Amino acid sequence: VKGFLVQFDIAAKPETTAAWRARGTIADDDRASMPPPPFRRGMVSFAGGGDNSRGTELFIAYRDSTHLGNAAWETPIGFVRYGMDVVDAFYGGYGDVAPYGSGPSQGELYKRGNEYAHAEFPQLDYIKK
């Protein structure tokens, strides 16, 4: 989502995604003992969809945000110190997932991996290693 965040790390091969998902989720951090810092441009966090839902997916914030980091699964784990120019150059034309944009379906990425991504979203950028 250009100007907001970039989310990544669903595996290229569905069997790899399935193997990682079979390992379960990562528990949320204890916010009582460690309140999160304000979200700043370049912060890296696990993506999640509810309590204790973190897996392999991460996101990088494109800008400072007051609403990122409020959920327990959005605890920053790192920061892009060098190379935000590379992150800024990622293709963002598809926008968010439906119904908010025309980006890829996470469910289809889980099931079909890069076969789906290459066929339906040819302008996506990829992390190769």
Side-chain angles (χ1 to χ4, degrees):
V1 181
K2 207 62 172 166
F4 179 50
L5 61 81
V6 58
Q7 186 168 321
F8 57 94
D9 221 10
I10 295 176
K13 297 178 183 176
E15 56 274 15
T16 304
T17 296
W20 277 106
R21 292 186 80 183
R23 296 176 70 138
T25 59
I26 300 168
D28 294 338
D29 294 300
D30 178 6
R31 290 309 225 358
S33 65
M34 182 182 66
F39 245 83
R40 300 284 181 234
R41 173 175 162 76
M43 282 192 157
V44 179
S45 175
F46 280 102
D51 293 342
N52 302 307
S53 63
R54 299 183 296 186
T56 61
E57 295 171 59
L58 302 165
F59 69 83
I60 301 170
Y62 277 122
R63 60 179 163 81
D64 295 356
S65 174
T66 57
H67 60 276
L68 285 175
N70 294 322
W73 58 88
E74 292 177 344
T75 302
I77 62 165
F79 187 79
V80 177
R81 188 167 177 180
Y82 303 105
M84 270 306 287
D85 57 323
V86 175
V87 177
D88 288 334
F90 291 161
Y91 181 75
Y94 298 118
D96 205 346
V97 298
Y100 311 105
S102 59
S105 159
Q106 289 177 309
E108 286 300 309
L109 287 168
Y110 295 148
K111 288 189 284 188
R112 297 173 50 205
N114 274 3
E115 176 252 320
Y116 164 69
H118 290 298
E120 303 293 328
F121 301 92
Q123 293 183 283
L124 281 181
D125 291 291
Y126 295 87
I127 297 172
K128 294 184 178 182
K129 289 188 179 187

